[in-house]
Amino acid sequence: MIRFEGEVRVVAGARIAILASRWNPRITDALVESARNTLLGHGMAADDVHVVRVPGAWELPVAASALAASQRYRALVALGCVVRGDTRHYEHVADECARGLMRVSLDHRLPVANGVLAVEKHADAEARAGGVHGNKGEEAALAALEMAHLIHLIEEFSP
């Protein structure tokens, strides 16, 4: 039996891009800092971690698609924060952002870790951006590393 399982390890020569919205900056900046520190802490070179900022979560998929099409990255980490308001705008943005990121991942066969928070209130976001629920930026970065390693193993496999 052949078994493929990724590890949280840097693939030699790999670049990872962190895409983050500027909306809700107190939250998103904490997510970005944690994701970047996680990648560096696991051995990525600072020059191989690129940060791309976009206006909001709605713009993340198109930026992810452009980065994926460049074929310069082993994985992407998408970060943002959508807080429910009084209208249905929340559902449109959060759902379509997630759908768009998945489409990029599947269309380009590139891991896209979704660290976009979709929360009821700002306190929920704070709890997930370094509060009692940890930091989802770190979790997304770890998932990106593991998936990049797994895809590398699959690509390198030769029977």
Side-chain angles (χ1 to χ4, degrees), residues 79-102:
L79 303 171
C81 179
V82 184
V83 180
R84 184 178 299 278
D86 296 330
T87 67
R88 287 185 12 92
H89 182 70
Y90 163 88
E91 283 87 1
H92 293 300
V93 173
D95 293 349
E96 295 307 321
C97 175
R99 193 176 343 272
L101 293 173
M102 179 56 73

Side-chain angles (χ1 to χ4, degrees), residues 6 19 25 32 73 97 99 116 141-142 149 157:
L19 298 86
V32 169
Y73 299 94
C97 175
R99 193 176 343 272
V116 179
L142 292 171
H149 184 252
F157 175 70

Side-chain angles (χ1 to χ4, degrees), residues 127-141:
R128 289 162 178 77
V132 297
H133 292 296
N135 191 302
K136 299 304 177 184
E138 175 187 12
E139 291 178 20

Side-chain angles (χ1 to χ4, degrees), residues 3-99:
R3 178 180 167 151
F4 294 100
E5 187 171 348
E7 298 176 19
V8 179
R9 128 181 349 187
V10 176
V11 175
R15 283 189 206 97
I16 293 180
I18 300 169
L19 298 86
S21 72
R22 288 191 303 269
W23 201 257
N24 293 310
R26 196 171 82 236
I27 300 301
T28 56
D29 291 351
L31 295 171
V32 169
E33 181 180 357
S34 182
R36 187 173 182 281
N37 289 341
T38 298
L39 295 172
L40 297 177
H42 280 81
M44 289 206 68
D47 288 344
D48 292 332
V49 178
H50 300 174
V51 177
V52 177
R53 297 306 287 250
V54 300
W58 186 259
E59 291 78 23
L60 286 169
V62 72
S65 183
L67 291 168
S70 77
Q71 298 184 334
R72 294 184 177 146
Y73 299 94
R74 275 283 181 179
L76 305 176
V77 177
L79 303 171
C81 179
V82 184
V83 180
R84 184 178 299 278
D86 296 330
T87 67
R88 287 185 12 92
H89 182 70
Y90 163 88
E91 283 87 1
H92 293 300
V93 173
D95 293 349
E96 295 307 321
C97 175
R99 193 176 343 272

